[in-house]
DNA sequence: AATGTGACGGACC
DNA sequence: TGGTCCGCCACAT
């Protein structure tokens, strides 16, 4: 368990309902602006971990990376349940739902 | 030890 | 506006 991994998990758990973050943002906040793929890897690996709102993490353009039938619908459903409306094409309006961390930096 | 891959991102054409 | 290519990093073969 690296520090980066811990940070990523903390950050994801800190995302409030109704908001989302992109892989790149999470990676940057965790201290590695180039670690988007690692974030993805962690999510893929830790998705089993309960309490981890993996579905609040989406692509940099507000797109869900999961393929249809592979969890995409579930993710959109969960987000919709928190008020995050996705467009018919599955895209999400980042300008409206992207979480703007005011003061993150403890723990 | 070397090579290939991927829940990604950004630059280019 | 859309499709490709390249860079990054950890993990699996």
């Amino acid at each position: 368990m690296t520090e980066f991994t811990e940070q990523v998990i903390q950050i994801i758990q800190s995302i409030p309902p109704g908001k989302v973050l992109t892989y790149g943002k999470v990676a940057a906040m965790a201290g590695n602006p180039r670690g988007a793929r690692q974030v993805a890897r962690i999510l893929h690996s830790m998705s089993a971990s309960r309490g981890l709102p993996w579905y609040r993490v989406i692509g940099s353009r507000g797109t869900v990376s999961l393929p249809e039938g592979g969890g995409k619908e579930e993710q959109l459903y969960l987000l919709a349940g928190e008020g995050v409306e996705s467009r018919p094409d599955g895209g999400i309006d980042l300008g409206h739902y992207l979480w703007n961390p005011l003061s993150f930096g403890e723990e």
Side-chain angles (χ1 to χ4, degrees):
Chain A
M1 184 70 91
T2 68
E3 184 131 5
F4 176 73
T5 303
E6 292 181 49
Q7 290 301 311
V8 171
I9 294 175
Q10 303 270 34
I11 293 168
I12 293 176
Q13 286 180 143
S14 301
I15 303 175
K19 291 292 181 181
V20 298
L21 270 185
T22 66
Y23 294 92
K25 294 283 188 184
V26 175
M29 291 168 68
N32 188 339
R34 297 293 138 212
R37 301 190 93 143
Q38 283 70 292
V39 174
R41 187 109 218 24
I42 293 170
L43 259 47
H44 188 90
S45 177
M46 309 294 282
S47 60
S49 296
R50 65 291 167 277
L52 190 64
W54 56 271
Y55 53 86
R56 291 183 190 149
V57 185
I58 59 181
S60 63
R61 294 130 194 148
T63 56
V64 171
S65 305
L66 297 172
E68 294 179 26
K72 181 176 183 178
E73 311 123 15
E74 183 181 310
Q75 178 164 17
L76 292 178
Y77 171 75
L78 290 170
L79 287 173
E82 301 183 334
V84 179
E85 300 285 337
S86 58
R87 300 175 307 191
D89 53 295
I92 293 174
D93 182 3
L94 287 180
H96 191 85
Y97 298 111
L98 182 64
W99 179 42
N100 295 307
L102 304 174
S103 55
F104 187 83
E106 34 288 353
E107 81 266 83

